[in-house]
Amino acid sequence: GCRYASFERIAALKTSIDFSFDQGTDGWLALNDIENLTARNGFLSGEVSGNDPYMIRSFLKVDGDKEKQVEIKLKLASRSIGQLYWTTENSPDVREDKVASFEIQGGSQVETIRVDLAHHPHWKGQTITSIRLDSCNGLGQGSFEIDSIRAIKD
């Protein structure tokens, strides 16, 4: 016979950047060069399948003046450059003027990265509507695990 399966197709609106992946992917979607994006044991993990992997979380309504830093805890075997893109109510497209880059050291342990956005002109004073994480640019292959993505408040 048939069994009923329930899953969330559309992410719930969030007013804070606070993702711990204990209850699933929490609305994150793999958009490019990421396969098998899943939440397991409190980590969001995926496999890199190309040189420009990224994932996105839409349906946000976050006050950029209250959430000034984004903390990402992740594990990636290789050194890489990551990028955090975002969209706003006033500028709904992903563009190069709304991005912050950061270094990922890589290794076998979870590392904590803080992205300071307090003075970025396209974050400050804006309502953030989505964030896009490019966690392993140029890697081409491999896997990643993300423990959490959280805003550090005032």
Side-chain angles (χ1 to χ4, degrees):
C2 293
R3 288 185 3 196
Y4 176 76
S6 173
F7 60 95
E8 190 175 283
R9 291 182 63 98
I10 298 175
L13 180 70
K14 289 192 77 152
T15 57
S16 180
I17 298 171
D18 188 8
F19 304 99
S20 62
F21 310 113
D22 294 323
Q23 304 296 318
T25 62
D26 209 353
W28 283 88
L29 299 173
L31 288 188
N32 197 60
D33 290 343
I34 295 175
E35 295 180 7
N36 302 319
L37 187 68
T38 57
R40 185 173 40 244
N41 300 323
F43 284 87
L44 183 66
S45 61
E47 298 169 18
V48 176
S49 59
N51 286 321
D52 190 19
Y54 55 86
M55 57 188 203
I56 194 164
R57 177 42 157 99
S58 300
F59 301 107
L60 300 178
K61 192 168 187 173
V62 173
D63 185 341
D65 286 336
K66 291 185 179 170
E67 302 197 358
K68 297 178 180 182
Q69 287 186 1
V70 175
E71 179 186 84
I72 304 163
K73 292 185 178 182
L74 59 76
K75 185 171 22 171
L76 183 65
S78 303
R79 180 182 213 99
S80 183
I81 298 295
Q83 294 175 298
L84 184 71
Y85 287 85
W86 62 91
T87 62
T88 68
E89 285 183 343
N90 294 330
S91 180
D93 298 322
V94 174
R95 297 191 335 212
E96 293 298 322
D97 63 347
K98 297 186 303 284
V99 63
S101 298
F102 52 90
E103 286 188 37
I104 300 170
Q105 298 304 312
S108 61
Q109 302 297 315
V110 172
E111 66 182 284
T112 301
I113 296 157
R114 285 203 172 168
V115 183
D116 187 0
L117 300 163
H119 303 292
H120 195 291
H122 297 291
W123 183 277
K124 183 174 65 172
Q126 300 296 316
T127 300
I128 311 306
T129 55
S130 73
I131 54 177
R132 182 181 115 178
L133 181 62
D134 299 29
S135 60
C136 24
N137 288 333
L139 201 58
Q141 63 182 358
S143 61
F144 62 88
E145 292 182 297
I146 300 171
D147 181 37
S148 62
I149 303 170
R150 293 194 164 95
I152 306 299
K153 298 181 183 356
D154 285 340

